[in-house]
Every structure is written in structure tokens, then in C-alpha cells.
Amino acid sequence: MHKLLPALIGFRFSSSGRKTMMSGFISKASAIGAAIGVIAILAGLSAMNGFERELRYRVLGVIPAAEIYPVEGEYILGVSEKTRILAESPAVAAAAPEIIINGLVSAGGVYKGVQVRAVDPRAELEVLHLSPFIREGSFLAADNNSAENPSPENHSPENASETEAPGIVLGSRIARKLGVKIGDSAEFLMAAQKASESRDQSGPRALSSARFRVTGILEIGGQLDAAVAFININEARKLLDLPEDSANNIAFRTADILQAGTECMDGARYLAQRVSAGNLYVRSWMSVQGRLYKDIQMIRSILYLALFLVISVACFNIVSSLIMAVNDKRSEVAILLSMGYSRLAVMETFAVQGAISGCAGTLAGIVLGVPLAINLSEIVSGIENIFGFHVLNQNVYFIGFVPTEFHWQDAVYVAGIAVIMSFMATVIPAIMASKIKPARELSGK
């Protein structure tokens, strides 16, 4: 017997016009169900890939992978040496000192709460990938000379004029709320305790203020645009009356961003073994923003489960249509068996017939789903423009658009799962067909 004969007969049975209306409808419904499932899963997986990319590129590009910090209200002295030693750790790619201050930024009588990160611009750009997100101006470029050559002649932040004021980089939503642009003046107010004050001091303290000039506007595309600002670390030391080589945070980038939880501890141990660091704490982005990454991975798993359930429904339709096809083709099967056609070949024939519906639906899903997945961002953006709503609210999510990143590997996995489940659905009807008795069917009994 020719090896391709079961496939040829199965294809002939599938394309035959001699089907009941119900059998034909269920066969088409199974193919359409498989196609819809493949399209939906490809779009969902591409969106999850896009969210993961944006998480790495946007969120992890502007927040440190890990940080070392002291008890609240205290500062790390000799921070330059500690930063240099930390950067030598095999688990650390780059490190930079920071002073983190919580306060208010105001302009024109409008106030906005922010977290200001006072940084060394050159060192910080090795830890964070901020340059691609500077929408206007530059990242504290105007302050580099002041940072490298501090002198008594340098201005005081409290008394500086607008043209002489030190620079500040604001998130785009902060700048929009304050109504400021590049070159405008903004005032930073804080109630942070100066180093010269006692930690036990109780009661309210007057606000300290400093005037800055907007030199850059940072646009990440999410919540961080409304919460973060950057100034030069030397200006923060003047404002807080701190020693020259001090900070309250060391930000560093780990060698593998997804292993930051482990590698930040390796870096901290490396530092502790080589210098007396005092009572310092360490944390990674996994403890701050890790839930976002875990949520993305969880949703990816749920999508694969959804694929299984949707294709399972389509497979039930394949089973139903094949059972009807077996009943329609009982006499043809009996004739084939009487001519020497083996029962295994009968099973293969109906397996091919049933798999054709699943494969056709899978192929249609791939053909339609791949363009949808690739252009998902543009399609969703067009729908938002037409109906005037936003799928993702920037006040809730870390980005304000639906990202997409298509991987052919996902298409292969999805198609493979759908085809395998389609073949599995043919087993029971194929076994039923192989048990047909030719003598009984041909005798008319």
C-alpha cells in the first residue's frame, strides 16, 4: 500500500461535497475557532513581549538596578572610595553616588511633589540610560564644569539669579503641570534635615528652598514623568550642608538585570569585605518594581492556558465533526476494508481528515495574527483616536500606550500546540472508524 494513500483519501473525504449540513458547519466552526484562538494568543504574547521590553528599557533605564543606602537621616562618608570599590565587583557593571531628597517643586504658584536625585552627571549616565529619554535640553550638561571645579566663587543656590542658577532636569508631566520649559526658573522646597542638625530634633522645621533653572525635560512615558527630577550632587551638598565626599545612596547597575536580587547582595558583600561600610542596607529593583515583571510573566502563562482552553473548544468541534463524518462514510470505509485497506490506514485517514480543519484554522490564524501582532501598537492607537479613550492610563500604568514586540518563536510554539491538539482530537473518532465491520455495513444490516 502506498504510504501517502491514507493522506490522499483523508484529504478527499475532507473536500468531498457529500457532507451533511451540520457536519460541514461544525467542521468550519472548528477551523474558525482555532484561527481565533491563534490570533488572540499571538496578539496577547506580542503585547506581553512589548511590556517586558518597555519595563527593561524605560523603567529599568531610569531607576537603578540596585541601591546601597544608610539608615534614614544618615549619610555615607567617603562615598567616592566605596563607589569605586563597589564598581570593581564582578557582579556590578557601574556605580554612582546619589543624594535622594523628597520635596516640592514650584513655579508660578503651582506646586508638585517630587523625588529629586542629586547625581554626578557623568557617573549617573553609566548607571542609568537616561539620554534617550531627554526630550528637550540636556542632562545637567551645563553643570559639569561647576561639578568638576567647585570654588568659593561659585553661586549659592539660594541667592543665584535665574541665568546663574544651577540646572534641574524635570519629568515631562512635572514640567507640564508647572508650565515651565527649558531656561525657565523653578524653586525646590524641602524639609530635609541638614547634617549639622541633631537627629533627635523634634517639632516642625522651616522649609529650605533653592532656585534652579530648567536645563532638561525627561519623558519616559509613564508615572515616573510625574515623580522624578535630577540636580547636580554638589548643589545638594550645599543645600544640605553636607561634607564634599558624602551621599545617602549608591546606585549601581548589575551585570545581569534579571539577576539583580542575587547580584546586588554579591556586590554588597564584595564592598563589606574590602572596606568598613558601617550599617548599610541593600535593595534591588525586584523589591521596588519587581511586581511588574512578575505580573508580565504571570499573564504570559495565563495566555498559554487561554490558548489551551480555546483550542480545546475547537478540538471538541473537530471530534463532533469527525464522528459525523465516520457515520457518513461507513459504507466507503467498509468497501476500502474489503479491498485490503488496513484498519491502521483507516485511523490514519480520519486523523488526516480531522487534522485538516485544525491545520487550516492554525494557518489562517498565523496569516492574520502575525500582521496584527506586529502592528498592534498602531492599531490600538488608531482605535483610541477614533473613539477618544486610552487603553492604558498613565496615572495607573508605567507607560501610556500598548507596546508590541513580535517573536517568531511565539508563532512556532502557538502553531505547534494548536496542530498537536488537533491531531489528538482525531484519536477517538479514528478508532471508531477502524472498528467498522465491512460484512455488516455492505449487507445493509
Side-chain angles (χ1 to χ4, degrees), residues 390-440:
H390 293 283
V391 175
L392 297 180
N393 187 339
Q394 286 189 351
N395 295 322
V396 178
Y397 301 97
F398 67 94
I399 54 175
F401 63 96
V402 176
T404 183
E405 182 174 320
F406 175 73
H407 295 167
W408 280 105
Q409 178 180 344
D410 290 337
V412 173
Y413 286 160
V414 170
I417 292 172
V419 170
I420 290 172
M421 292 183 65
S422 298
F423 272 103
M424 291 175 62
T426 65
V427 172
I428 294 176
I431 292 175
M432 292 175 58
S434 68
K435 292 183 177 181
I436 291 176
K437 300 185 184 312
R440 178 179 297 177

Short mmCIF file of all heavy atoms in Angstrom, two decimals, residues 390-440:
data_model
loop_
_atom_site.label_atom_id
_atom_site.label_comp_id
_atom_site.label_asym_id
_atom_site.label_seq_id
_atom_site.Cartn_x
_atom_site.Cartn_y
_atom_site.Cartn_z
N HIS A 390 -8.30 56.08 26.19
CA HIS A 390 -6.98 55.49 26.30
C HIS A 390 -7.09 54.13 26.98
O HIS A 390 -7.71 54.00 28.04
CB HIS A 390 -6.04 56.40 27.11
CG HIS A 390 -5.73 57.69 26.42
ND1 HIS A 390 -4.82 57.77 25.37
CD2 HIS A 390 -6.19 58.95 26.60
CE1 HIS A 390 -4.75 59.02 24.95
NE2 HIS A 390 -5.57 59.76 25.68
N VAL A 391 -6.48 53.13 26.36
CA VAL A 391 -6.50 51.79 26.92
C VAL A 391 -5.71 51.74 28.22
O VAL A 391 -6.12 51.13 29.20
CB VAL A 391 -5.93 50.77 25.90
CG1 VAL A 391 -5.81 49.38 26.53
CG2 VAL A 391 -6.81 50.72 24.66
N LEU A 392 -4.55 52.41 28.25
CA LEU A 392 -3.70 52.46 29.45
C LEU A 392 -3.62 53.88 29.96
O LEU A 392 -3.22 54.79 29.23
CB LEU A 392 -2.28 51.94 29.12
CG LEU A 392 -2.18 50.49 28.67
CD1 LEU A 392 -0.73 50.13 28.38
CD2 LEU A 392 -2.75 49.55 29.72
N ASN A 393 -4.00 54.06 31.20
CA ASN A 393 -3.95 55.37 31.84
C ASN A 393 -2.56 55.58 32.45
O ASN A 393 -2.09 54.77 33.25
CB ASN A 393 -5.01 55.45 32.93
CG ASN A 393 -5.14 56.85 33.52
OD1 ASN A 393 -4.23 57.67 33.41
ND2 ASN A 393 -6.27 57.12 34.14
N GLN A 394 -1.89 56.68 32.07
CA GLN A 394 -0.54 56.94 32.58
C GLN A 394 -0.52 57.13 34.09
O GLN A 394 0.53 56.97 34.71
CB GLN A 394 0.04 58.20 31.91
CG GLN A 394 0.44 57.98 30.47
CD GLN A 394 1.20 59.16 29.91
OE1 GLN A 394 1.28 60.21 30.54
NE2 GLN A 394 1.75 59.00 28.72
N ASN A 395 -1.65 57.48 34.68
CA ASN A 395 -1.70 57.64 36.13
C ASN A 395 -1.70 56.31 36.87
O ASN A 395 -1.48 56.26 38.08
CB ASN A 395 -2.95 58.44 36.54
CG ASN A 395 -2.90 59.86 36.02
OD1 ASN A 395 -1.85 60.48 36.00
ND2 ASN A 395 -4.05 60.37 35.59
N VAL A 396 -1.96 55.22 36.12
CA VAL A 396 -2.05 53.90 36.73
C VAL A 396 -0.88 53.01 36.29
O VAL A 396 -0.28 52.31 37.11
CB VAL A 396 -3.39 53.23 36.38
CG1 VAL A 396 -3.47 51.82 36.97
CG2 VAL A 396 -4.55 54.09 36.85
N TYR A 397 -0.56 53.04 35.00
CA TYR A 397 0.46 52.15 34.45
C TYR A 397 1.77 52.90 34.22
O TYR A 397 1.79 54.13 34.16
CB TYR A 397 -0.03 51.53 33.15
CG TYR A 397 -1.31 50.74 33.32
CD1 TYR A 397 -2.55 51.31 33.03
CD2 TYR A 397 -1.29 49.43 33.79
CE1 TYR A 397 -3.73 50.59 33.20
CE2 TYR A 397 -2.46 48.70 33.95
CZ TYR A 397 -3.67 49.29 33.66
OH TYR A 397 -4.83 48.58 33.83
N PHE A 398 2.86 52.12 34.07
CA PHE A 398 4.16 52.75 33.91
C PHE A 398 4.39 53.27 32.49
O PHE A 398 5.37 53.95 32.23
CB PHE A 398 5.28 51.79 34.32
CG PHE A 398 5.45 50.59 33.43
CD1 PHE A 398 6.36 50.61 32.38
CD2 PHE A 398 4.72 49.44 33.64
CE1 PHE A 398 6.52 49.50 31.56
CE2 PHE A 398 4.88 48.33 32.84
CZ PHE A 398 5.79 48.36 31.79
N ILE A 399 3.49 52.96 31.55
CA ILE A 399 3.51 53.55 30.22
C ILE A 399 2.08 53.90 29.83
O ILE A 399 1.13 53.36 30.41
CB ILE A 399 4.14 52.61 29.16
CG1 ILE A 399 3.44 51.26 29.16
CG2 ILE A 399 5.63 52.44 29.39
CD1 ILE A 399 3.92 50.34 28.06
N GLY A 400 1.95 54.76 28.84
CA GLY A 400 0.62 55.21 28.45
C GLY A 400 0.18 54.71 27.09
O GLY A 400 -0.73 55.27 26.49
N PHE A 401 0.80 53.64 26.57
CA PHE A 401 0.42 53.08 25.29
C PHE A 401 0.59 51.57 25.34
O PHE A 401 1.20 51.03 26.27
CB PHE A 401 1.28 53.67 24.16
CG PHE A 401 2.75 53.35 24.30
CD1 PHE A 401 3.32 52.28 23.63
CD2 PHE A 401 3.56 54.12 25.12
CE1 PHE A 401 4.67 51.98 23.78
CE2 PHE A 401 4.91 53.83 25.26
CZ PHE A 401 5.46 52.75 24.59
N VAL A 402 0.01 50.87 24.36
CA VAL A 402 0.12 49.41 24.30
C VAL A 402 1.33 49.07 23.44
O VAL A 402 1.31 49.30 22.23
CB VAL A 402 -1.17 48.78 23.72
CG1 VAL A 402 -0.99 47.27 23.58
CG2 VAL A 402 -2.36 49.10 24.60
N PRO A 403 2.38 48.53 24.03
CA PRO A 403 3.58 48.20 23.23
C PRO A 403 3.42 46.83 22.58
O PRO A 403 2.56 46.03 22.96
CB PRO A 403 4.68 48.17 24.29
CG PRO A 403 3.98 47.70 25.52
CD PRO A 403 2.56 48.24 25.44
N THR A 404 4.25 46.55 21.61
CA THR A 404 4.22 45.23 20.97
C THR A 404 5.62 44.86 20.52
O THR A 404 6.41 45.73 20.13
CB THR A 404 3.25 45.22 19.77
OG1 THR A 404 3.20 43.90 19.22
CG2 THR A 404 3.70 46.18 18.69
N GLU A 405 5.92 43.60 20.60
CA GLU A 405 7.19 43.07 20.09
C GLU A 405 6.94 41.62 19.68
O GLU A 405 6.76 40.75 20.52
CB GLU A 405 8.30 43.15 21.15
CG GLU A 405 9.64 42.64 20.63
CD GLU A 405 10.75 42.85 21.63
OE1 GLU A 405 10.78 43.90 22.28
OE2 GLU A 405 11.59 41.94 21.77
N PHE A 406 6.92 41.39 18.37
CA PHE A 406 6.58 40.06 17.86
C PHE A 406 7.83 39.19 17.80
O PHE A 406 8.89 39.62 17.35
CB PHE A 406 5.96 40.18 16.47
CG PHE A 406 5.70 38.85 15.82
CD1 PHE A 406 4.66 38.05 16.27
CD2 PHE A 406 6.49 38.40 14.77
CE1 PHE A 406 4.42 36.81 15.69
CE2 PHE A 406 6.25 37.18 14.19
CZ PHE A 406 5.21 36.38 14.64
N HIS A 407 7.70 37.95 18.29
CA HIS A 407 8.76 36.95 18.21
C HIS A 407 8.27 35.77 17.37
O HIS A 407 7.21 35.19 17.68
CB HIS A 407 9.15 36.46 19.61
CG HIS A 407 9.77 37.51 20.47
ND1 HIS A 407 9.95 37.35 21.84
CD2 HIS A 407 10.27 38.73 20.17
CE1 HIS A 407 10.52 38.43 22.33
NE2 HIS A 407 10.70 39.29 21.34
N TRP A 408 9.01 35.41 16.34
CA TRP A 408 8.62 34.26 15.53
C TRP A 408 8.60 32.98 16.35
O TRP A 408 7.86 32.04 16.04
CB TRP A 408 9.56 34.13 14.34
CG TRP A 408 9.23 35.06 13.23
CD1 TRP A 408 9.90 36.20 12.87
CD2 TRP A 408 8.12 34.95 12.33
NE1 TRP A 408 9.27 36.80 11.80
CE2 TRP A 408 8.19 36.06 11.45
CE3 TRP A 408 7.09 34.03 12.18
CZ2 TRP A 408 7.26 36.25 10.44
CZ3 TRP A 408 6.15 34.22 11.17
CH2 TRP A 408 6.24 35.33 10.32
N GLN A 409 9.40 32.94 17.39
CA GLN A 409 9.42 31.78 18.27
C GLN A 409 8.04 31.56 18.89
O GLN A 409 7.59 30.42 19.01
CB GLN A 409 10.46 32.00 19.37
CG GLN A 409 10.55 30.88 20.37
CD GLN A 409 11.61 31.16 21.44
OE1 GLN A 409 12.45 32.03 21.28
NE2 GLN A 409 11.53 30.43 22.53
N ASP A 410 7.35 32.64 19.26
CA ASP A 410 5.99 32.52 19.80
C ASP A 410 5.04 31.93 18.77
O ASP A 410 4.19 31.10 19.10
CB ASP A 410 5.48 33.88 20.27
CG ASP A 410 6.21 34.39 21.50
OD1 ASP A 410 6.76 33.56 22.25
OD2 ASP A 410 6.23 35.62 21.71
N ALA A 411 5.18 32.37 17.51
CA ALA A 411 4.31 31.86 16.46
C ALA A 411 4.52 30.36 16.26
O ALA A 411 3.55 29.60 16.06
CB ALA A 411 4.57 32.62 15.16
N VAL A 412 5.78 29.93 16.32
CA VAL A 412 6.07 28.49 16.17
C VAL A 412 5.46 27.69 17.31
O VAL A 412 4.85 26.64 17.10
CB VAL A 412 7.60 28.28 16.09
CG1 VAL A 412 7.92 26.79 16.10
CG2 VAL A 412 8.16 28.92 14.82
N TYR A 413 5.63 28.18 18.55
CA TYR A 413 5.07 27.49 19.71
C TYR A 413 3.55 27.39 19.63
O TYR A 413 2.97 26.33 19.85
CB TYR A 413 5.46 28.22 20.99
CG TYR A 413 6.90 28.04 21.41
CD1 TYR A 413 7.51 28.93 22.28
CD2 TYR A 413 7.66 26.98 20.91
CE1 TYR A 413 8.84 28.77 22.66
CE2 TYR A 413 8.99 26.82 21.28
CZ TYR A 413 9.57 27.71 22.16
OH TYR A 413 10.87 27.56 22.52
N VAL A 414 2.91 28.51 19.31
CA VAL A 414 1.44 28.54 19.25
C VAL A 414 0.93 27.62 18.15
O VAL A 414 -0.01 26.83 18.36
CB VAL A 414 0.95 29.99 19.04
CG1 VAL A 414 -0.54 30.01 18.73
CG2 VAL A 414 1.23 30.84 20.27
N ALA A 415 1.55 27.69 16.97
CA ALA A 415 1.12 26.83 15.86
C ALA A 415 1.35 25.36 16.20
O ALA A 415 0.49 24.51 15.91
CB ALA A 415 1.87 27.22 14.59
N GLY A 416 2.48 25.07 16.81
CA GLY A 416 2.77 23.69 17.18
C GLY A 416 1.77 23.13 18.17
O GLY A 416 1.28 21.99 18.01
N ILE A 417 1.44 23.91 19.19
CA ILE A 417 0.46 23.46 20.18
C ILE A 417 -0.90 23.23 19.54
O ILE A 417 -1.57 22.22 19.80
CB ILE A 417 0.36 24.49 21.32
CG1 ILE A 417 1.66 24.52 22.13
CG2 ILE A 417 -0.82 24.17 22.24
CD1 ILE A 417 1.72 25.64 23.16
N ALA A 418 -1.32 24.15 18.67
CA ALA A 418 -2.63 24.03 18.03
C ALA A 418 -2.69 22.80 17.12
O ALA A 418 -3.69 22.05 17.13
CB ALA A 418 -2.93 25.29 17.22
N VAL A 419 -1.63 22.53 16.35
CA VAL A 419 -1.62 21.38 15.44
C VAL A 419 -1.61 20.07 16.23
O VAL A 419 -2.34 19.12 15.90
CB VAL A 419 -0.42 21.47 14.48
CG1 VAL A 419 -0.25 20.17 13.70
CG2 VAL A 419 -0.59 22.63 13.51
N ILE A 420 -0.78 20.00 17.28
CA ILE A 420 -0.71 18.78 18.08
C ILE A 420 -2.06 18.48 18.73
O ILE A 420 -2.53 17.33 18.72
CB ILE A 420 0.38 18.92 19.16
CG1 ILE A 420 1.76 18.91 18.50
CG2 ILE A 420 0.28 17.80 20.18
CD1 ILE A 420 2.89 19.23 19.45
N MET A 421 -2.72 19.51 19.26
CA MET A 421 -4.03 19.29 19.89
C MET A 421 -5.07 18.89 18.84
O MET A 421 -5.99 18.11 19.14
CB MET A 421 -4.47 20.55 20.63
CG MET A 421 -3.63 20.87 21.85
SD MET A 421 -4.21 22.31 22.77
CE MET A 421 -5.81 21.71 23.35
N SER A 422 -4.94 19.39 17.63
CA SER A 422 -5.87 19.00 16.56
C SER A 422 -5.71 17.52 16.22
O SER A 422 -6.70 16.81 16.02
CB SER A 422 -5.62 19.86 15.31
OG SER A 422 -5.85 21.22 15.58
N PHE A 423 -4.47 17.05 16.15
CA PHE A 423 -4.24 15.63 15.89
C PHE A 423 -4.75 14.77 17.04
O PHE A 423 -5.31 13.69 16.83
CB PHE A 423 -2.75 15.37 15.65
CG PHE A 423 -2.32 15.53 14.23
CD1 PHE A 423 -1.64 16.67 13.82
CD2 PHE A 423 -2.60 14.56 13.28
CE1 PHE A 423 -1.25 16.83 12.50
CE2 PHE A 423 -2.22 14.70 11.96
CZ PHE A 423 -1.54 15.84 11.56
N MET A 424 -4.55 15.23 18.27
CA MET A 424 -5.02 14.46 19.43
C MET A 424 -6.54 14.32 19.42
O MET A 424 -7.08 13.30 19.87
CB MET A 424 -4.56 15.14 20.72
CG MET A 424 -3.06 15.07 20.95
SD MET A 424 -2.54 16.01 22.40
CE MET A 424 -3.43 15.17 23.71
N ALA A 425 -7.22 15.34 18.89
CA ALA A 425 -8.69 15.30 18.87
C ALA A 425 -9.23 14.25 17.91
O ALA A 425 -10.40 13.86 18.00
CB ALA A 425 -9.24 16.67 18.50
N THR A 426 -8.39 13.78 16.99
CA THR A 426 -8.86 12.82 15.98
C THR A 426 -8.76 11.38 16.46
O THR A 426 -9.23 10.47 15.76
CB THR A 426 -8.04 12.97 14.69
OG1 THR A 426 -6.66 12.61 14.95
CG2 THR A 426 -8.08 14.40 14.18
N VAL A 427 -8.15 11.14 17.61
CA VAL A 427 -7.86 9.76 18.03
C VAL A 427 -9.14 8.95 18.22
O VAL A 427 -9.30 7.85 17.66
CB VAL A 427 -7.02 9.77 19.32
CG1 VAL A 427 -6.88 8.34 19.86
CG2 VAL A 427 -5.66 10.37 19.06
N ILE A 428 -10.09 9.47 19.01
CA ILE A 428 -11.31 8.70 19.32
C ILE A 428 -12.14 8.43 18.06
O ILE A 428 -12.52 7.27 17.80
CB ILE A 428 -12.13 9.41 20.40
CG1 ILE A 428 -11.35 9.43 21.72
CG2 ILE A 428 -13.48 8.73 20.58
CD1 ILE A 428 -12.04 10.19 22.83
N PRO A 429 -12.45 9.46 17.22
CA PRO A 429 -13.20 9.15 16.00
C PRO A 429 -12.47 8.19 15.06
O PRO A 429 -13.11 7.35 14.41
CB PRO A 429 -13.38 10.53 15.35
CG PRO A 429 -13.25 11.51 16.48
CD PRO A 429 -12.26 10.91 17.39
N ALA A 430 -11.14 8.31 14.99
CA ALA A 430 -10.38 7.42 14.11
C ALA A 430 -10.46 5.98 14.59
O ALA A 430 -10.57 5.04 13.78
CB ALA A 430 -8.92 7.88 14.04
N ILE A 431 -10.41 5.77 15.90
CA ILE A 431 -10.55 4.41 16.45
C ILE A 431 -11.94 3.85 16.15
O ILE A 431 -12.10 2.68 15.79
CB ILE A 431 -10.27 4.42 17.96
CG1 ILE A 431 -8.79 4.74 18.23
CG2 ILE A 431 -10.64 3.08 18.59
CD1 ILE A 431 -8.46 4.89 19.70
N MET A 432 -12.96 4.72 16.28
CA MET A 432 -14.33 4.28 15.95
C MET A 432 -14.42 3.84 14.49
O MET A 432 -15.06 2.83 14.18
CB MET A 432 -15.32 5.42 16.23
CG MET A 432 -15.47 5.76 17.70
SD MET A 432 -16.54 7.21 17.94
CE MET A 432 -18.06 6.65 17.15
N ALA A 433 -13.78 4.59 13.60
CA ALA A 433 -13.83 4.25 12.18
C ALA A 433 -13.13 2.93 11.90
O ALA A 433 -13.56 2.14 11.03
CB ALA A 433 -13.20 5.37 11.35
N SER A 434 -12.04 2.68 12.62
CA SER A 434 -11.28 1.44 12.36
C SER A 434 -12.04 0.20 12.81
O SER A 434 -11.67 -0.92 12.41
CB SER A 434 -9.93 1.51 13.07
OG SER A 434 -10.09 1.47 14.48
N LYS A 435 -13.07 0.33 13.64
CA LYS A 435 -13.81 -0.82 14.15
C LYS A 435 -15.04 -1.15 13.31
O LYS A 435 -15.86 -1.98 13.70
CB LYS A 435 -14.22 -0.55 15.60
CG LYS A 435 -13.03 -0.51 16.56
CD LYS A 435 -13.48 -0.30 18.00
CE LYS A 435 -12.28 -0.32 18.95
NZ LYS A 435 -12.69 -0.14 20.36
N ILE A 436 -15.21 -0.45 12.18
CA ILE A 436 -16.34 -0.76 11.30
C ILE A 436 -16.17 -2.17 10.74
O ILE A 436 -15.08 -2.55 10.30
CB ILE A 436 -16.42 0.29 10.16
CG1 ILE A 436 -16.83 1.65 10.73
CG2 ILE A 436 -17.40 -0.16 9.08
CD1 ILE A 436 -16.85 2.76 9.72
N LYS A 437 -17.28 -2.95 10.70
CA LYS A 437 -17.26 -4.31 10.17
C LYS A 437 -17.80 -4.29 8.74
O LYS A 437 -18.99 -4.01 8.52
CB LYS A 437 -18.11 -5.23 11.05
CG LYS A 437 -17.62 -5.30 12.51
CD LYS A 437 -18.39 -6.30 13.30
CE LYS A 437 -18.00 -6.33 14.75
NZ LYS A 437 -16.55 -6.38 14.99
N PRO A 438 -16.94 -4.59 7.75
CA PRO A 438 -17.36 -4.49 6.34
C PRO A 438 -18.58 -5.36 6.01
O PRO A 438 -19.48 -4.90 5.31
CB PRO A 438 -16.12 -4.98 5.58
CG PRO A 438 -14.99 -4.77 6.52
CD PRO A 438 -15.54 -4.97 7.88
N ALA A 439 -18.63 -6.62 6.50
CA ALA A 439 -19.73 -7.50 6.14
C ALA A 439 -21.06 -6.93 6.59
O ALA A 439 -22.06 -6.95 5.84
CB ALA A 439 -19.50 -8.89 6.77
N ARG A 440 -21.11 -6.43 7.79
CA ARG A 440 -22.38 -5.87 8.31
C ARG A 440 -22.79 -4.63 7.55
O ARG A 440 -23.97 -4.46 7.22
CB ARG A 440 -22.22 -5.56 9.79
CG ARG A 440 -23.45 -4.92 10.41
CD ARG A 440 -23.27 -4.65 11.89
NE ARG A 440 -23.07 -5.91 12.63
CZ ARG A 440 -22.84 -5.97 13.93
NH1 ARG A 440 -22.76 -4.84 14.63
NH2 ARG A 440 -22.70 -7.13 14.53
#
